[in-house]
Tab-separated table of all heavy atoms in Angstrom:
chain	number	residue	atom	x	y	z
Q	273	SER	N	18.276	0.844	-2.076
Q	273	SER	CA	19.341	1.846	-1.962
Q	273	SER	C	18.802	3.259	-2.104
Q	273	SER	O	17.694	3.474	-2.595
Q	273	SER	CB	20.403	1.597	-3.077
Q	273	SER	OG	20.766	0.243	-3.095
Q	274	GLY	N	19.616	4.191	-1.635
Q	274	GLY	CA	19.301	5.615	-1.843
Q	274	GLY	C	18.642	6.213	-0.650
Q	274	GLY	O	18.170	5.599	0.288
Q	275	THR	N	18.618	7.560	-0.715
Q	275	THR	CA	18.068	8.420	0.428
Q	275	THR	C	17.100	9.376	-0.205
Q	275	THR	O	17.297	10.008	-1.262
Q	275	THR	CB	19.189	9.162	1.054
Q	275	THR	OG1	20.139	8.241	1.604
Q	275	THR	CG2	18.666	10.001	2.228
Q	276	ILE	N	15.962	9.574	0.507
Q	276	ILE	CA	14.955	10.526	0.031
Q	276	ILE	C	15.163	11.879	0.689
Q	276	ILE	O	15.665	11.949	1.803
Q	276	ILE	CB	13.528	9.991	0.250
Q	276	ILE	CG1	13.207	9.957	1.735
Q	276	ILE	CG2	13.337	8.637	-0.293
Q	276	ILE	CD1	11.721	9.759	2.044
Q	277	ASP	N	14.667	12.882	0.005
Q	277	ASP	CA	14.823	14.269	0.558
Q	277	ASP	C	13.637	15.114	0.124
Q	277	ASP	O	13.770	16.083	-0.606
Q	277	ASP	CB	16.120	14.898	0.052
Q	277	ASP	CG	16.348	16.268	0.658
Q	277	ASP	OD1	15.938	16.501	1.763
Q	277	ASP	OD2	17.037	17.079	-0.019
Q	278	PRO	N	12.434	14.779	0.657
Q	278	PRO	CA	11.220	15.568	0.316
Q	278	PRO	C	11.347	16.966	0.897
Q	278	PRO	O	11.943	17.140	2.001
Q	278	PRO	CB	10.109	14.786	0.904
Q	278	PRO	CG	10.705	14.005	2.019
Q	278	PRO	CD	12.141	13.697	1.566
Q	279	LYS	N	10.736	17.916	0.199
Q	279	LYS	CA	10.779	19.300	0.670
Q	279	LYS	C	9.512	19.630	1.419
Q	279	LYS	O	8.986	20.743	1.400
Q	279	LYS	CB	10.980	20.257	-0.529
Q	279	LYS	CG	12.203	19.919	-1.343
Q	279	LYS	CD	13.492	20.057	-0.526
Q	279	LYS	CE	14.741	19.928	-1.408
Q	279	LYS	NZ	14.872	18.575	-1.969
Q	280	PHE	N	8.950	18.689	2.161
Q	280	PHE	CA	7.823	18.869	2.967
Q	280	PHE	C	7.862	17.961	4.160
Q	280	PHE	O	8.595	16.968	4.183
Q	280	PHE	CB	6.510	18.660	2.164
Q	280	PHE	CG	6.405	17.251	1.622
Q	280	PHE	CD1	5.829	16.234	2.350
Q	280	PHE	CD2	6.899	16.928	0.361
Q	280	PHE	CE1	5.719	14.916	1.841
Q	280	PHE	CE2	6.791	15.642	-0.163
Q	280	PHE	CZ	6.238	14.677	0.621
Q	281	ASP	N	7.071	18.255	5.208
Q	281	ASP	CA	6.994	17.336	6.350
Q	281	ASP	C	5.814	16.463	6.132
Q	281	ASP	O	4.621	16.895	6.200
Q	281	ASP	CB	6.792	18.194	7.658
Q	281	ASP	CG	8.043	19.027	8.005
Q	281	ASP	OD1	9.133	18.507	7.761
Q	281	ASP	OD2	7.891	20.119	8.526
Q	282	PRO	N	6.055	15.166	5.937
Q	282	PRO	CA	4.898	14.224	5.700
Q	282	PRO	C	3.949	14.147	6.887
Q	282	PRO	O	4.405	14.252	8.046
Q	282	PRO	CB	5.558	12.870	5.403
Q	282	PRO	CG	6.997	13.026	5.822
Q	282	PRO	CD	7.317	14.481	5.865
Q	283	ASP	N	2.677	14.042	6.638
Q	283	ASP	CA	1.647	14.102	7.671
Q	283	ASP	C	0.483	13.257	7.242
Q	283	ASP	O	-0.171	13.606	6.258
Q	283	ASP	CB	1.232	15.534	7.963
Q	283	ASP	CG	0.258	15.670	9.108
Q	283	ASP	OD1	-0.344	14.657	9.548
Q	283	ASP	OD2	0.128	16.782	9.651
Q	284	LEU	N	0.231	12.139	7.913
Q	284	LEU	CA	-0.862	11.248	7.498
Q	284	LEU	C	-2.209	11.891	7.527
Q	284	LEU	O	-3.070	11.529	6.746
Q	284	LEU	CB	-0.866	10.055	8.412
Q	284	LEU	CG	0.311	9.075	8.440
Q	284	LEU	CD1	0.118	7.901	9.301
Q	284	LEU	CD2	0.695	8.644	7.025
Q	285	ASP	N	-2.399	12.824	8.405
Q	285	ASP	CA	-3.727	13.514	8.577
Q	285	ASP	C	-4.048	14.470	7.463
Q	285	ASP	O	-5.199	14.832	7.289
Q	285	ASP	CB	-3.810	14.226	9.896
Q	285	ASP	CG	-3.829	13.303	11.111
Q	285	ASP	OD1	-4.391	12.200	10.954
Q	285	ASP	OD2	-3.322	13.695	12.147
Q	286	ARG	N	-3.044	14.882	6.678
Q	286	ARG	CA	-3.232	15.975	5.750
Q	286	ARG	C	-3.573	15.480	4.294
Q	286	ARG	O	-3.754	16.324	3.402
Q	286	ARG	CB	-2.017	16.875	5.690
Q	286	ARG	CG	-1.804	17.587	7.002
Q	286	ARG	CD	-0.558	18.429	7.010
Q	286	ARG	NE	-0.802	19.765	6.370
Q	286	ARG	CZ	0.081	20.696	6.291
Q	286	ARG	NH1	1.288	20.537	6.795
Q	286	ARG	NH2	-0.205	21.851	5.632
Q	287	THR	N	-3.703	14.186	4.200
Q	287	THR	CA	-4.228	13.646	2.900
Q	287	THR	C	-5.423	12.732	3.220
Q	287	THR	O	-5.737	12.514	4.369
Q	287	THR	CB	-3.143	12.871	2.109
Q	287	THR	OG1	-2.432	12.041	2.980
Q	287	THR	CG2	-2.210	13.818	1.411
Q	288	PHE	N	-5.992	12.176	2.200
Q	288	PHE	CA	-7.261	11.443	2.345
Q	288	PHE	C	-7.233	10.437	3.498
Q	288	PHE	O	-6.338	9.574	3.556
Q	288	PHE	CB	-7.533	10.710	1.071
Q	288	PHE	CG	-8.910	10.011	1.019
Q	288	PHE	CD1	-9.991	10.623	0.391
Q	288	PHE	CD2	-9.134	8.806	1.663
Q	288	PHE	CE1	-11.229	10.028	0.356
Q	288	PHE	CE2	-10.340	8.180	1.628
Q	288	PHE	CZ	-11.385	8.772	1.005
Q	289	ASN	N	-8.186	10.568	4.410
Q	289	ASN	CA	-8.413	9.521	5.397
Q	289	ASN	C	-9.831	9.657	5.957
Q	289	ASN	O	-10.320	10.793	6.066
Q	289	ASN	CB	-7.339	9.632	6.500
Q	289	ASN	CG	-7.499	10.812	7.419
Q	289	ASN	OD1	-8.234	10.793	8.388
Q	289	ASN	ND2	-6.856	11.907	7.053
Q	290	ARG	N	-10.381	8.568	6.432
Q	290	ARG	CA	-11.723	8.510	6.925
Q	290	ARG	C	-11.666	8.527	8.497
Q	290	ARG	O	-12.617	8.083	9.130
Q	290	ARG	CB	-12.418	7.248	6.457
Q	290	ARG	CG	-12.576	7.085	4.958
Q	290	ARG	CD	-13.194	5.793	4.622
Q	290	ARG	NE	-13.459	5.619	3.219
Q	290	ARG	CZ	-12.581	5.103	2.337
Q	290	ARG	NH1	-11.399	4.679	2.780
Q	290	ARG	NH2	-12.876	5.016	1.070
Q	291	GLY	N	-10.599	9.069	9.058
Q	291	GLY	CA	-10.347	8.838	10.435
Q	291	GLY	C	-9.536	7.594	10.545
Q	291	GLY	O	-9.568	6.731	9.640
Side-chain angles (χ1 to χ4, degrees):
S273 309
T275 302
I276 69 168
D277 184 28
K279 303 302 186 291
F280 60 89
D281 292 325
D283 186 342
L284 297 184
D285 290 329
R286 296 179 78 178
T287 45
F288 185 100
N289 73 85
R290 300 177 177 89

